[in-house]
Amino acid sequence: MNLVKKFSVAVLVLMLAALLAIPAYATGDSTDEAQTTAVETEADSEGSTTGLKAIAVGVAIGLAAAGGAVAMGIVGGKAADGISRQPEMEGKIRTTLMLDLVFIETAIIYALLVVILVIFVL
């Protein structure tokens, strides 16, 4: 058990180090800086904002989809467990299951709409 705990901590530390190293790779070469002008154009600023929007959109929709998938899995498992324990309640459990799945999917669709608004409006 102790070995598994140490391995988990080591993997977590490596993942954190890799995540924190990303900005270091995004800086570019010093020779590129000498050749560029000191004035940043509006197109460069827009490109930088577009990249940040893309990252934000990817993270947002990824979290929404992952959260929805986990929630649907849990709800489906609990419904199957409930039906196996009380087969006579199958109709009511299945109706509640479908309603819950619709609500979860609606939350994911709302996240998708917010992401589309971020892409096209902001």
Side-chain angles (χ1 to χ4, degrees), residues 35-106:
Q35 294 174 356
T36 59
T37 60
V39 179
E40 183 178 277
T41 62
E42 189 172 324
D44 291 340
S45 175
E46 185 178 323
S48 174
T49 307
T50 304
L52 292 176
K53 276 195 248 182
I55 292 172
V57 164
V59 168
I61 200 66
L63 287 176
V70 169
M72 287 181 183
I74 291 172
V75 169
K78 297 292 183 177
D81 186 41
I83 290 172
S84 68
R85 290 177 186 263
Q86 293 182 336
E88 67 275 0
M89 295 295 292
E90 178 184 1
K92 288 186 178 183
I93 293 173
R94 186 162 296 170
T95 302
T96 305
L97 167 70
M98 291 301 159
L99 191 61
D100 290 342
L101 291 177
V102 166
F103 287 146
I104 294 168
E105 191 66 31
T106 302

Side-chain angles (χ1 to χ4, degrees), residues 6 8-9 14 17 24 27-28 32 34 49 59 68 73 77 83 85-87 115:
K6 287 181 182 180
S8 299
V9 170
L14 286 174
T27 57
D32 292 338
T49 307
V59 168
I83 290 172
R85 290 177 186 263
Q86 293 182 336
V115 163

Side-chain angles (χ1 to χ4, degrees), residues 105-120:
E105 191 66 31
T106 302
I108 297 169
I109 291 171
Y110 285 152
L112 178 65
L113 290 175
V114 168
V115 163
I116 290 172
L117 284 174
V118 167
I119 291 172
F120 292 113

